[in-house]
Amino acid sequence: MIEVKSLSRHYGHLKAVDDLSFTVEPGQVLGFLGPNGAGKSTTMKMLTGFLAPTAGSARINGHDVVADSLAARRCLGYLPEGAPSYGEMTVLDFLLFVARARGIPAREVHTACERVVDRLNLAGVRHQVIDTLSKGFRRRVGLAQAIIHDPAVLILDEPTDGLDPNQKHEVRKLIAEMASDKIIVISTHILEEVQALCNRVMIISQGRLLADDTPAGLIARSRYHNAVTLAADDVRRIASVLSELPEVARAEVKEGELTVFPAGAGLFDAVSRSVAEHGWAVSELRYEAGRLDEVFRMITQGESA
Ligand SMILES: Nc1ncnc2c1ncn2[C@@H]1O[C@H](COP(=O)(O)OP(=O)(O)OP(=O)(O)O)[C@@H](O)[C@H]1O
Ligand SMILES: [Mg+2]
């Protein structure tokens, strides 16, 4: 369990992290979202004992990250932002080094390394010097060192940043496989990743917690939640007809698409019926669950679309 109480970090007058409190339980995959400079990495550095808080406290499985730093760090795997490592070492030497530093018994060190080499598809580069690897491979080495001791808590700062779509998919699969019995905290700017991976989302901005919800709960805050969007040649004429329906609160035309917003239940059926009755040539008709990017902007900028 992670327990964070009134955690703050100041740099001079800047409150990079400002009075954050939250707890995370096993089985939770927490997505940490926020604009650039929101304080995500700073929070993660404090949780992992790399940076001392200015005020407040954090405990990992009951161990205070400052007073009991070593015990707290034993329970943790950490992928720092940008996945720094020892560039002059080969992949295997680096992983062996980390495994030993993590206190894995000598007879298990090789097995532990081979296991993560396998999981992160690093077999082809195990003897290559890290500095000569591509960005995506360096990220995978960073993930390998983070999980080598099978920690109960994983803190991953932008784990899929810079990966190609295949690798993003692989890393998300890996995180999902590990999720059931661990606590995983990931920061990301990729909103689909949050929907695909996380069962909880925290949005922070200027060091403060602005939202703490499930992905579905956040999406439901979108003004597009339960709206219907359609594409056709003559969306303006269609808009004026649909606006008369009792199920439609409002119609909006944007970039050649018409979105109608619900006045109550049954909007999609009512719109589909109208399309069929009028014989409109509609090229696309879709139900809107909501748009996470819009909710993110609304929460972090007080903007509504
Ligand atoms: N060592 C430092 N000295 C001074 N200011 C710092 C230091 N480290 C971070 N900051 C500032 O603290 C704020 C929070 O930075 P942080 O790296 O935590 O943001 P972030 O949410 O991780 O952003 P990003 O999405 O860009 O990674 C920023 O304004 C940053 O410039
Ligand atoms: Mg960051």
Side-chain angles (χ1 to χ4, degrees), residues 7 13 20-21 37 42 109 112 116 155 183 215 217 246 249 263 278:
L7 195 66
H13 292 296
L20 278 190
S21 297
T42 304
V109 158
V116 290
I155 310 272
I183 287 178
H278 292 84

Side-chain angles (χ1 to χ4, degrees), residues 132-154:
T132 68
L133 293 173
S134 71
K135 189 164 61 175
F137 273 92
R138 281 202 298 272
R139 183 62 43 119
R140 277 142 71 180
V141 172
L143 276 163
Q145 66 74 27
I147 64 170
I148 201 159
H149 55 304
D150 195 25
V153 177
L154 263 178

Side-chain angles (χ1 to χ4, degrees), residues 151-173:
V153 177
L154 263 178
I155 310 272
L156 308 175
D157 200 348
E158 301 194 35
T160 60
D161 180 43
L163 298 186
D164 71 42
N166 297 335
Q167 277 307 318
K168 277 199 174 89
H169 177 76
E170 286 302 316
V171 168
R172 285 176 195 163
K173 212 168 77 185

Side-chain angles (χ1 to χ4, degrees), residues 168-186:
K168 277 199 174 89
H169 177 76
E170 286 302 316
V171 168
R172 285 176 195 163
K173 212 168 77 185
L174 175 73
I175 293 173
E177 280 165 15
M178 295 188 298
S180 61
D181 61 337
K182 291 190 195 301
I183 287 178
I184 303 180
V185 182
I186 65 170

Side-chain angles (χ1 to χ4, degrees), residues 13-302:
H13 292 296
L14 177 78
K15 293 177 175 174
V17 173
D18 188 10
D19 199 20
L20 278 190
S21 297
F22 57 91
T23 60
V24 196
E25 315 262 351
Q28 290 192 338
V29 182
L30 170 63
F32 223 42
L33 292 185
N36 291 129
K40 303 179 294 296
S41 296
T42 304
T43 304
M44 288 177 151
K45 283 178 198 161
M46 290 192 283
L47 292 182
T48 51
F50 278 78
L51 189 67
T54 308
S57 66
R59 293 160 81 86
I60 310 290
N61 284 353
H63 307 292
D64 188 276
V65 295
V66 177
D68 201 2
S69 175
L70 208 58
R73 276 187 278 169
R74 277 205 187 98
C75 317
L76 278 174
Y78 175 37
L79 174 73
E81 189 167 38
S85 56
Y86 293 104
E88 70 284 3
M89 291 177 113
T90 67
V91 171
L92 196 56
D93 284 344
F94 175 63
L95 292 176
L96 287 167
F97 165 74
V98 174
R100 290 187 187 113
R102 282 293 186 182
I104 295 177
R107 63 183 181 287
E108 291 165 29
V109 158
H110 278 273
T111 324
C113 289
E114 288 309 323
R115 197 181 57 235
V116 290
V117 161
D118 205 44
R119 273 197 111 160
L120 275 306
N121 293 323
L122 291 167
V125 298
R126 56 150 75 76
H127 298 300
Q128 198 169 327
V129 171
I130 292 173
D131 266 348
T132 68
L133 293 173
S134 71
K135 189 164 61 175
F137 273 92
R138 281 202 298 272
R139 183 62 43 119
R140 277 142 71 180
V141 172
L143 276 163
Q145 66 74 27
I147 64 170
I148 201 159
H149 55 304
D150 195 25
V153 177
L154 263 178
I155 310 272
L156 308 175
D157 200 348
E158 301 194 35
T160 60
D161 180 43
L163 298 186
D164 71 42
N166 297 335
Q167 277 307 318
K168 277 199 174 89
H169 177 76
E170 286 302 316
V171 168
R172 285 176 195 163
K173 212 168 77 185
L174 175 73
I175 293 173
E177 280 165 15
M178 295 188 298
S180 61
D181 61 337
K182 291 190 195 301
I183 287 178
I184 303 180
V185 182
I186 65 170
S187 74
T188 179
H189 289 290
I190 307 169
L191 298 176
E192 310 91 78
E193 195 152 286
V194 171
Q195 283 175 276
L197 274 183
C198 302
N199 47 31
R200 180 175 171 191
V201 192
M202 286 183 20
I203 298 182
I204 63 169
S205 183
Q206 296 179 346
R208 297 194 69 90
L209 182 60
L210 300 183
D212 183 352
D213 207 334
T214 59
L218 272 185
I219 288 169
R221 300 187 197 187
S222 167
R223 67 190 194 92
Y224 289 94
H225 183 56
N226 292 336
V228 175
T229 293
L230 64 80
D233 282 340
D234 195 6
V235 280
R236 291 198 182 276
R237 189 171 56 88
I238 297 175
S240 64
V241 177
L242 290 184
S243 299
E244 302 301 318
L245 292 176
E247 292 86 355
V248 172
R250 206 159 42 80
E252 194 177 280
V253 174
K254 215 174 183 178
E255 290 158 16
E257 287 193 331
L258 164 66
T259 300
V260 288
F261 296 88
L267 178 66
F268 190 84
D269 287 347
V271 172
S272 319
R273 260 198 319 274
S274 261
V275 169
E277 279 165 15
H278 292 84
W280 292 320
V282 168
S283 57
E284 196 182 331
L285 177 65
R286 65 174 190 270
Y287 165 76
E288 299 258 11
R291 300 182 186 177
L292 200 51
D293 60 338
E294 179 235 351
V295 175
F296 179 86
R297 287 203 304 277
M298 186 173 75
I299 290 176
T300 57
Q301 306 181 333

